[in-house]
Amino acid sequence: MSLGNPMSVAVVLTALLVFGIPGGGQLRPLGWWPTLILSMVAGSAYKAAGGPFQFIPDLIGSGLSTVTKVLPGVTMAAIALSLAIFILFKKLTTKQVGYLGIAFWYVAAGAGGSWSYLSDSIASLGANLA
């Protein structure tokens, strides 16, 4: 069985997050860490897939543009670190972790340096799954 392309990977990961977070079927709901990791891989698949999935990176990019206009001089690394702190220290539902994981991946990818190692690895994993 081959998923074939990034669009297919994006569809499968979206289904896993949408149906796996609340659970209720034969399998237990996704936990906090699996949700975070899967959402980050989904973010890389969304960026690679383009098409209708390009909406997510475009939305996050618009939000980042607004933040950098309101707070001139703030770097992507500072935004990524702030998001990581928020995700790790704020009590969040797994659904919120899923949304923020996708956003964190996008910000971390744009931060460059050591932040990009994680996002590049996730992007590579997403490409290898396709």
Side-chain angles (χ1 to χ4, degrees):
M1 178 170 97
S2 172
L3 295 178
N5 60 47
M7 182 70 74
S8 295
V9 173
V11 168
V12 168
L13 290 174
T14 300
L16 183 57
L17 288 169
V18 167
F19 301 117
I21 289 174
Q26 294 293 322
L27 299 176
R28 292 186 333 196
L30 291 173
W32 196 92
W33 282 105
T35 298
L36 180 62
I37 292 166
L38 285 170
S39 67
M40 293 167 70
V41 175
S44 74
Y46 293 169
K47 189 165 178 79
F53 288 101
Q54 190 61 37
F55 170 75
I56 303 297
D58 289 348
L59 180 67
I60 296 167
S62 297
L64 290 173
S65 176
T66 302
V67 168
T68 56
K69 287 178 183 169
V70 171
L71 301 169
V74 71
T75 64
M76 291 287 276
I79 296 170
L81 183 56
S82 297
L83 264 175
I85 290 168
F86 183 79
I87 291 169
L88 294 172
F89 287 100
K90 180 76 175 145
K91 186 174 181 164
L92 300 170
T93 65
T94 49
K95 187 181 286 189
Q96 292 167 330
V97 169
Y99 296 143
L100 289 173
I102 292 169
F104 172 79
W105 177 88
Y106 187 81
V107 175
S114 60
W115 285 103
S116 66
Y117 294 133
L118 174 63
S119 59
D120 290 345
S121 296
I122 292 169
S124 175
L125 176 63
N128 288 335
L129 289 174

